[in-house]
Structure formats: C-alpha cells, structure tokens
C-alpha cells in the first residue's frame, strides 16, 4: 500500500494528494501531526535514505533552530525532534513498496507509477 505523509494545510501535500487521486492511485494518508505517525515511520525511511534527506533545511522550523540544535539533530539522529516538530520533515513523503520520495515533483511521480 502506498502511503503519503504530510501536513493537511501544506499546499505541496495537497498537490500530491490531488495528483494521486486524479491518477487513480490508492494511498493511505498519514498526517505528521496525528497519533498514527511514529518514530517507526522514520526508521523505515532510513532503510532507503540518509537521515539528512529527511530534514527540510528550508523550513521555518529549521531556521528557528540554533546552530547547536542543528548539529545535534544530525549528529544524534534525533527522531524525537522530528516527531515534536514535524515541519522539519520534507513533505510530502510518498512511501511505496520500492522507494521513498520527498517533496512533490509531478515527473517523479509519473515515473514512479508508469
């Protein structure tokens, strides 16, 4: 089952949801801010990507961190900080049986589901 992770009020997440629906691709939506999002999801992603690939270094949440917090986030792979501040995660996250995609690029989605 395809899983799409994100935040409901994110425009990019909405675009990804619309694209998947328009292309009749079944998916389960998991909101970062809801109880069904857990550390285990991030651990699953790390089987296919590096920790640095998960973090949205362009987000306001990232910019609000001190240099020490930024270093500590990467050095210690702080899952708890990502769970507490889900806007630190690049979004949307599309998890399929084969891959993990961060962000929404229509061409990338088309290739994935060709």
């Amino acid at each position: 089952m395809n899983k799409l992770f994100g935040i409901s009020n994110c425009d990019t997440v909405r675009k990804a949801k619309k694209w998947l629906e328009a292309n009749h691709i079944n998916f389960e939506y998991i909101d970062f801010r809801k109880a069904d999002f857990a550390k285990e999801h991030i651990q699953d992603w790390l089987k296919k990507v590096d920790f640095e690939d998960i973090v949205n270094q362009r987000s306001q949440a990232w910019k609000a961190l001190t240099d020490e917090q930024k270093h500590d986030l990467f050095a210690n792979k702080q899952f708890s900080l990502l769970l507490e501040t889900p806007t630190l995660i690049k979004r949307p996250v599309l998890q399929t049986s084969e891959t993990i995609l961060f962000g929404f690029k229509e061409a990338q989605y088309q290739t994935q589901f060709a």
Side-chain angles (χ1 to χ4, degrees):
M1 172 60 119
N2 301 308
K3 295 181 182 180
L4 185 71
F5 298 83
I7 297 171
S8 297
N9 63 345
C10 174
D11 289 338
T12 310
V13 171
R14 286 189 207 133
K15 287 177 189 175
K17 286 170 86 173
K18 284 182 183 180
W19 189 93
L20 291 168
E21 290 165 354
N23 287 278
H24 309 288
I25 296 168
N26 292 330
F27 67 95
E28 174 187 3
Y29 177 69
I30 299 171
D31 193 310
F32 287 149
R33 294 180 175 155
K34 304 291 181 185
D36 53 350
F37 180 65
K39 178 180 177 179
E40 290 74 28
H41 290 114
I42 298 171
Q43 289 172 327
D44 284 343
W45 301 342
L46 288 173
K47 293 174 185 172
K48 297 183 179 178
V49 300
D50 293 329
F51 189 84
E52 292 78 13
D53 296 334
I54 296 171
V55 179
N56 183 357
Q57 295 183 38
R58 296 186 321 177
S59 70
Q60 292 300 320
W62 171 261
K63 293 173 185 173
L65 296 177
T66 65
D67 288 342
E68 182 179 334
Q69 288 172 313
K70 291 174 185 176
H71 172 75
D72 198 40
L73 175 64
F74 288 125
N76 298 314
K77 294 187 168 90
Q78 289 191 342
F79 298 105
S80 59
L81 185 56
L82 294 179
L83 292 170
E84 291 168 21
T85 314
T87 53
L88 281 170
I89 301 171
K90 289 181 188 173
R91 57 191 187 274
V93 179
L94 177 65
Q95 181 175 354
T96 70
S97 59
E98 300 95 33
T99 193
I100 307 288
L101 301 176
F102 291 90
F104 173 69
K105 294 181 178 98
E106 186 173 341
Q108 196 176 36
Y109 275 45
Q110 286 174 340
T111 301
Q112 178 62 39
F113 293 105

